[in-house]
Amino acid sequence: MTSPMFRPAWSMARARLGGLIAVACAVFGGAAMITVGAVLAETALTSHLPPDRLADADIVVSGRQQYPVVEDLDIALSERVTVPADVESRIAKVPGVAEVAADLTFPVRIADSGQRIDAHGWDVAASSDPDLTGSAPRGSDEIALDDQTATATGLRLGDSTTLSVYGKAHTFRVTGVVDAPGDGIFFDSDTATSLAGRSDGAVDLFAVTVQQGVRVDSVAKDISAALDDDLVVSMGAARGDVETIAAGTARGELIALAGSLAGTLLILIGCIVGGAMSVSVASQRRDLALLRAVGATPRQVRRLIATQASIVAVAALIPGIAVGYVAANVFAGQLTTGGLLPAGLPVAVTPFAGLAVAALMLLAVQISARTAALRASRMSATEAVAESRVEPRTPSRVRTVIGLVLIVSAVPQSLLPLVWRSEEAFMAAVTGTLTAIIGVALAGPALVRAVTRRAVRHVGSRSSSTTWLALHHSRAYALRTAGSVTVLALAIGLTIAQVATGATFERATADELDAGFTADATITGTIAQADLDALASEPGIDAAVPFASTTVLRTSTFAGDVSTEPHPAFAIGHDPQRVVDPSVVAGDLADLHGDTVALSSAASGSWDADVGDTVELTLANGVTVDPVVVAVYDRGLGFGAAMLSADVLTLHGDQRWFDQALVTGDAGTVAAWADDLPAVHAASAAPTPSDDEAALERTINLFVLLPMLGYILLAVANSLAASTARRRHELAALRVIGMTPRQILAMVRRETAVVAALSIGAGLLVAVLPMSVLGLGFLGRPWPQGPWWLVPAIAGLVGAIALGTTSLSARRAIRSSPAAVLAAQD
Amino acid sequence: MTLTQPLQTTGPGLTGPALSLQDVTKSYPGGVIALDHMSLQVPRGSFLAVMGPSGSGKSTLLHCASGLDQPTSGTVLLGDTEVTRLSETKRTILRRGRIGFIFQAYNLVPSLTVEHNITLPLRLAGASVDRSWLKALIERIGLTDLLTRLPGELSGGQQQRAAIARSLAARPDVVFADEPTGALDLETATEVLTLLRDLVDEFGQTVVMVTHDPAAAAWAHETVVMRNGGIHRHFVRPTADELTACMRQLRTRA
């Protein structure tokens, strides 16, 4: 910023404030949105839950909660990866280690109240030397409680209570109440190990205390060296993530979310800031040309524009980033409520995100400013002033052809859902929409010319002069018109596609679950297999089958590329065919017991595994299994890519509780049984994907879609307003030869109507068609799913914004006397 | 086919001056007085040139006389119609029916063909076009071969002739020309001025031309030299030299 350029930069800017305000708004909006992404990414990367229960352990050794993926982000495992018990002796041998305590956590159910509480071994709590009333638990019938749990359950020192551990009931006496961090029930270690029912007595983690005077980090390093690579040694803030693995899962999802937003956002912001800069430079074209005429070099002119832009950008960045921080916190709050983020995970509030965003946006602004000024700075003074206001070029043929090809190629992509019902088909439909929009952007000018030429011919000389003029203008300024049309069509198309895809997916999944639900009742609550066995043995009950939703990872090779993907899956008990009908097309669900799995037809196809084959999968706790495929079913959306037999999970070390079960039989008996088990509910409807999940998806979509939409519409409004304002001279000339203000406004309105009609038409075409095919393929309904008012609302919004901005801008443009405008030769 | 009828057939009272300014003053906030109690009569079928140094008020005179601007006080009469008290819309309607304009910068609509440009004022008025008469006019001005071209494809002289055709399409009472030859070379300027003079002499069109060029003003019947918002001198059929001398005198005086 050399000072000779500063003053002219400022005074020129003051005169064309409108254009620069638009740049400021573009920077403000873009900075806010990127800051949200940056803060979330920073939170994902650096934020830790503070350790609670493990706060007194110096070092924690645990399993690696990530599934390593070649050339991509590791996938976070959503269930605890266990550590073999023999690791304890190896840790104990490391010099500097004072104590090693094994930690085990598993849920138990209080028989009376049905409350589900986490139980732990006593060792870790003991090592923190807590405030203990009574004595530590010893033997297989004693427990200790922490004081919060004591209050919550109403149990006091000396009380006896019956606990159900995976369905087996045991009675225990409360021998101690302790004021330890973390809450739960404490068994003595051996009891905990036997009750947890893990194979090989594997534990969750080891809590290590270090000898007095020895440095924690050096001991940690030694422990790392002494153990295998697949164990993680944590200290300091990282211990919190070991204690609560949900943070790790959240991390992965946050990064994925931030990443998927980043690409689209950056391109969008780049385009919009660039567009605003172009408009601003164009309005100063004459002044720049005069500067050149009096001796400014092109470089100096570009620097001047860049200076203007930077001043504006800095002014807009500060509030933008501030708003971004606030919005990030709000968004994080929503994510926490929705369950994506663990409660208590602090949102990273450091200047880093803000500085990164500031640097990025300033760079973007500088580049776009210099690019926008490139042409203007190179033109000679006379060229700039005399520059014809008509586009001399016809739209490039190459561009048009490429555009049309893209539009055509979008068709098979959109038709995919008709032949292949799977998640890939969803992706294809959305990709099809995007491809079509890019095609419209490229072929736009030619299409606009073709459409308006036909319209002009039909309109002829009998229609009103304003309509006639409006159509002629649209045709002559096809490039300019097509620009606005494309952006508006993009806004419409994206919105419809986004909403319709989500709604179709939700609906299809729900429909499949509904259709596949052949049971009479759904039971929710903390249930063990043993409980259900009891129910099944009652008269009038045909089958009681537990199930849990989980994830499986599948590594596949495709054209030399190895990729690992998580897939939603169910674990389901014996004889599932008595309670669900996932539309089996091969094999028999009755065979689903032992080390077996049933696959959806989409999964079976893409993993090349048919009935009788084995398929290698990784469970949510990191264990790799090799079950045999016994059936293939069609309803892959509702029932997931795979249905594992619950035996697969227990075979590999896990006792479990189930959250849901399906029962076929007399509803009354079920209700009675459920009443006996507190905190267990029976309902006669099909299980739905949790409302929370659906709400979370919708919240994320809204948070992402609305700002983008607003941003796009604002940019278009600015562009339309600016291009109308630039026509002051043209409009003044028309007024001189006899066009009344009313006629002028009517003409502008009609031109805008042409733009609005074309863009709404294009937007609907590129979105409504693929989305209708999606609806037809997945739901048998040939129209875009989602709220019925979406399409008219978005069309109306676009039309209203376009008309509003151009009308206001035109009114301003004709406010001054035409003579003055013409005299100014603007 | 040549034009045999007079160009101007509308407007009541074909007697009396085509344009009349009575005691017209135009002042701007800040104390600037552009026109100072100016009175002027333009007889029908005459060619009047208005000259003067910059700041003399000649452009303002044009704007007030044509209804583009409203004077602070005084009356402007177009034939029998008082222009000064009309609303913006009424003045616009007046302009498209009874006043023609020619500018230095031509001001044709760039996206319309020459033909569409010429008929635009009529279209705006919703008036029907006398096709044969228009054809004759266009032929007389020499634009028949250029009708389907865009203004961007024409030379300066051709554009100005198209503008002249446009200004005559509605058969106006008066045609106002603001520095019509300012952007043209000598030869083309002569063509345009010849055309204007012919329109006046042969067909009785009234033309008021503002110019700074004494040579151009010499084509007119009468020339008015303005100074400080008022008429300094009134010439009848002056030579270019007389006008040049007068202008020089004004400059040294000021």
Side-chain angles (χ1 to χ4, degrees):
Chain A
M1 241 158 55
T2 54
S3 63
M5 277 298 134
F6 191 82
R7 305 237 6 233
W10 184 235
S11 44
M12 279 173 66
R14 279 226 317 257
R16 311 287 182 180
L17 215 47
L20 287 172
I21 288 181
V23 175
C25 289
V27 171
F28 171 79
M33 289 196 282
I34 296 192
T35 306
V36 171
V39 168
L40 287 179
E42 199 189 344
T43 306
L45 292 171
T46 63
S47 186
H48 296 282
L49 274 180
D52 189 13
R53 208 161 46 82
L54 304 177
D56 288 308
D58 297 315
I59 300 173
V60 176
V61 178
S62 61
R64 187 171 292 277
Q65 285 295 140
Q66 265 121 356
Y67 189 81
V69 176
V70 177
E71 284 181 13
D72 204 341
L73 289 171
D74 292 346
I75 299 180
L77 295 167
S78 52
E79 292 181 24
R80 169 83 58 192
V81 177
T82 54
V83 182
D86 59 1
V87 171
E88 179 168 2
S89 50
R90 279 194 276 164
I91 299 178
K93 286 208 197 92
V94 174
V97 168
E99 262 187 73
V100 184
D103 189 53
L104 202 56
T105 306
F106 55 97
V108 301
R109 195 177 66 200
I110 298 194
D112 289 336
S113 59
Q115 282 165 301
R116 178 179 163 140
I117 303 195
D118 279 344
H120 313 282
W122 173 245
D123 283 352
V124 171
S127 67
S128 69
D129 214 6
D131 215 351
L132 175 63
T133 323
S135 64
R138 245 189 309 252
S140 59
D141 56 354
E142 295 187 2
I143 57 172
L145 305 174
D146 90 301
D147 38 13
Q148 275 167 307
T149 313
T151 328
T153 56
L155 292 169
R156 286 164 306 171
L157 202 52
D159 282 349
S160 270
T161 180
T162 313
L163 301 175
S164 170
V165 184
Y166 299 121
K168 292 208 205 83
H170 305 269
T171 317
F172 297 90
R173 201 164 47 88
V174 180
T175 56
V177 177
V178 68
D179 181 20
D183 55 338
I185 295 178
F186 299 94
F187 297 104
D188 94 341
S189 319
D190 296 329
T191 316
T193 313
S194 72
L195 284 177
R198 304 265 178 88
S199 62
D200 331 318
V203 301
D204 287 354
L205 51 93
F206 287 102
V208 181
T209 15
V210 162
Q211 287 167 359
Q212 275 274 25
V214 182
R215 283 191 50 170
V216 175
D217 49 353
S218 69
V219 178
K221 217 180 292 171
D222 293 337
I223 296 179
S224 260
L227 298 177
D228 293 330
D229 266 342
D230 60 352
L231 291 173
V232 175
V233 178
S234 320
M235 54 179 186
R239 295 169 298 165
D241 293 339
V242 177
E243 193 180 317
T244 318
I245 55 174
T249 336
R251 181 156 303 149
E253 303 208 24
L254 261 185
I255 293 185
L257 183 65
S260 74
L261 286 183
T264 328
L265 263 184
L266 282 173
I267 295 178
L268 188 66
I269 291 173
C271 285
I272 288 181
V273 169
M277 275 309 322
S278 296
V279 168
S280 170
V281 167
S283 71
Q284 296 179 60
R285 196 187 54 217
R286 207 184 128 77
D287 295 343
L288 293 177
L290 292 173
L291 270 181
R292 289 268 296 115
V294 302
T297 64
R299 216 145 174 240
Q300 284 179 314
V301 168
R302 285 199 291 278
R303 206 183 304 162
L304 178 146
I305 296 290
T307 308
Q308 273 181 357
S310 301
I311 297 173
V312 162
V314 167
L317 271 177
I318 298 170
I321 292 179
V323 166
Y325 271 107
V326 170
N329 271 283
V330 172
F331 194 24
Q334 290 292 318
L335 292 177
T336 310
T337 319
L340 182 64
L341 284 181
L345 188 70
V347 179
V349 186
T350 67
F352 288 125
L355 288 173
V357 172
L360 190 69
M361 291 299 293
L362 279 174
L363 184 66
V365 164
Q366 282 279 320
I367 293 177
S368 77
R370 282 174 201 258
T371 315
L374 199 63
R375 197 156 154 264
S377 65
R378 289 228 195 101
M379 269 197 285
S380 70
T382 46
E383 253 185 272
V385 171
E387 187 171 61
S388 166
R389 285 182 177 85
V390 184
E391 301 148 6
R393 339 178 268 278
T394 50
S396 139
R397 176 152 293 177
V398 174
R399 177 182 157 157
T400 311
V401 168
I402 296 181
L404 289 173
V405 164
L406 281 179
I407 295 179
V408 166
S409 76
V411 173
Q413 285 182 24
S414 327
L415 290 178
L416 200 61
L418 286 179
V419 297
W420 191 21
R421 293 188 97 228
S422 73
E423 285 182 32
E424 281 82 359
F426 272 98
M427 304 284 307
V430 176
T431 324
T433 310
L434 286 176
T435 314
I437 287 180
I438 298 179
V440 164
L442 290 176
L447 292 174
V448 166
R449 277 178 89 108
V451 169
T452 44
R453 187 183 312 149
R454 202 143 295 154
V456 163
R457 230 181 276 151
H458 281 261
V459 154
S461 43
R462 254 163 297 117
S463 71
S464 89
S465 56
T466 49
T467 312
W468 179 84
L469 261 178
L471 281 171
H472 260 100
H473 279 144
S474 297
R475 178 161 158 242
Y477 297 113
L479 210 65
R480 183 179 81 189
T481 314
S484 314
V485 167
T486 310
V487 180
L488 288 176
L490 174 78
I492 296 176
L494 263 185
T495 311
I496 295 180
Q498 186 92 330
V499 174
T501 314
T504 311
F505 192 78
E506 253 185 69
R507 201 58 201 269
T509 310
D511 276 359
E512 280 193 355
L513 274 177
D514 230 7
F517 178 70
T518 54
D520 295 314
T522 310
I523 301 180
T524 44
T526 310
I527 317 156
Q529 180 68 56
D531 299 323
L532 291 171
D533 290 341
L535 174 60
S537 63
E538 302 222 7
I541 300 293
D542 236 350
V545 181
F547 72 95
S549 32
T550 176
T551 331
V552 294
L553 304 178
R554 164 80 183 169
T555 309
S556 48
T557 324
F558 181 72
D561 257 332
V562 178
S563 71
T564 309
E565 295 284 326
H567 298 272
F570 280 108
I572 197 162
H574 292 180
D575 283 330
Q577 75 283 358
R578 297 208 201 173
V579 289
V580 291
D581 172 24
S583 190
V584 175
V585 294
D588 189 359
L589 270 187
D591 293 333
L592 196 66
H593 50 83
D595 202 7
T596 56
V597 69
L599 297 180
S600 72
S601 40
S604 162
S606 51
W607 299 343
D608 200 19
D610 217 338
V611 177
D613 296 332
T614 51
V615 58
E616 186 179 290
L617 300 168
T618 308
L619 300 177
N621 62 357
V623 176
T624 313
V625 296
D626 239 327
V628 177
V629 180
V630 295
V632 176
Y633 54 87
D634 252 350
R635 295 191 168 128
L637 286 179
F639 290 92
M643 260 203 276
L644 292 162
S645 171
D647 295 342
V648 177
L649 300 178
T650 47
L651 274 175
H652 294 275
D654 258 338
Q655 289 278 349
R656 25 175 355 110
W657 293 99
F658 293 94
D659 289 316
Q660 289 178 303
L662 298 171
V663 183
T664 320
D666 174 42
T669 321
V670 177
W673 171 86
D675 282 338
D676 275 343
L677 283 173
V680 169
H681 308 279
S684 55
T688 46
S690 105
D691 274 335
D692 282 340
E693 262 178 51
L696 179 67
E697 277 287 324
R698 256 177 263 140
T699 311
I700 294 182
N701 279 344
L702 228 67
F703 256 83
V704 168
L705 190 66
L706 282 184
M708 271 209 231
L709 189 66
Y711 197 55
I712 293 177
L713 291 176
L714 217 68
V716 174
N718 172 53
S719 162
L720 285 175
S723 56
T724 310
R726 278 179 65 193
R727 298 168 67 191
R728 284 172 73 219
H729 189 104
E730 176 193 329
L731 296 178
L734 286 172
R735 284 169 69 197
V736 169
I737 62 160
M739 203 164 183
T740 62
R742 265 179 86 192
Q743 284 178 314
I744 296 217
L745 290 176
M747 177 188 80
V748 168
R749 266 203 303 275
R750 272 152 226 222
E751 285 179 35
T752 313
V754 169
V755 168
L758 286 176
S759 39
I760 293 175
L764 290 184
L765 259 169
V766 299
V768 167
L769 283 186
M771 290 301 116
S772 299
V773 170
L774 199 66
L776 181 65
F778 279 92
L779 297 171
R781 290 167 215 209
W783 60 85
Q785 298 300 304
W788 62 267
W789 46 261
L790 182 70
V791 170
I794 188 93
L797 182 67
V798 161
I801 287 185
L803 272 171
T805 42
T806 50
S807 292
L808 276 172
S809 183
R811 258 174 232 273
R812 278 197 70 201
I814 61 175
R815 214 192 293 158
S816 40
S817 114
V821 172
L822 288 178
Q825 287 286 336
D826 209 333
Chain B
M1 182 178 160
T2 48
L3 292 169
T4 47
Q5 316 153 20
L7 281 168
Q8 195 228 312
T9 51
T10 55
L14 287 176
T15 55
L19 178 70
S20 167
L21 275 80
Q22 295 165 4
D23 203 26
V24 168
T25 303
K26 175 75 181 172
S27 60
Y28 292 103
V32 176
I33 300 179
L35 290 177
D36 196 0
H37 299 286
M38 189 131 157
S39 290
L40 180 69
Q41 307 245 345
V42 182
R44 220 167 274 284
S46 69
F47 190 168
L48 175 72
V50 178
M51 289 192 68
S54 62
S56 54
K58 53 187 198 291
S59 289
T60 318
L61 173 70
L62 193 81
H63 296 163
C64 286
S66 63
L68 275 180
D69 228 339
Q70 270 181 317
T72 319
S73 71
T75 316
V76 175
L77 289 165
L78 185 72
D80 278 350
T81 318
E82 190 186 331
V83 174
T84 17
R85 302 289 163 249
L86 294 179
S87 68
E88 165 73 32
T89 305
K90 291 228 173 66
R91 277 185 280 128
T92 311
I93 293 172
L94 194 79
R95 280 203 298 276
R96 73 184 175 210
R98 297 178 56 190
I99 297 177
F101 271 100
I102 304 168
F103 298 94
Q104 179 176 350
Y106 330 127
N107 284 331
L108 297 171
V109 177
S111 54
L112 298 177
T113 60
V114 166
E115 180 182 1
H116 287 152
N117 261 293
I118 293 174
T119 54
L120 186 56
L122 291 170
R123 230 183 241 278
L124 289 174
S128 56
V129 178
D130 185 347
R131 282 275 157 204
S132 58
W133 179 85
L134 202 60
K135 191 163 168 227
L137 175 70
I138 289 170
E139 207 179 298
R140 173 65 185 83
I141 296 182
L143 291 170
T144 322
D145 296 330
L146 302 173
L147 283 180
T148 53
R149 305 272 207 89
L150 291 175
E153 299 163 25
L154 302 177
S155 72
Q158 291 167 329
Q159 287 188 59
Q160 194 60 294
R161 279 191 278 146
I164 292 175
R166 176 179 72 182
S167 71
L168 294 171
R171 306 208 204 177
D173 291 23
V174 182
V175 169
F176 289 95
D178 192 351
E179 310 268 11
T181 56
L184 304 173
D185 63 68
L186 191 55
E187 204 180 302
T188 326
T190 312
E191 274 179 42
V192 167
L193 289 164
T194 314
L195 177 60
L196 282 176
R197 183 62 190 252
D198 284 346
L199 290 170
V200 171
D201 287 342
E202 290 170 36
F203 310 110
Q205 179 65 47
T206 314
V207 176
V208 174
M209 178 175 74
V210 165
T211 183
H212 65 274
D213 180 5
W219 284 84
H221 289 138
E222 296 176 32
T223 304
V224 153
V225 179
M226 287 183 66
R227 183 173 171 267
N228 293 338
I231 298 179
H232 172 66
R233 275 182 74 174
H234 185 142
F235 291 90
V236 177
R237 293 183 197 281
T239 62
D241 291 332
E242 284 177 300
L243 292 170
T244 314
C246 177
M247 292 293 291
R248 198 179 302 136
Q249 202 182 35
L250 275 176
R251 271 197 292 279
T252 50
R253 258 230 208 132

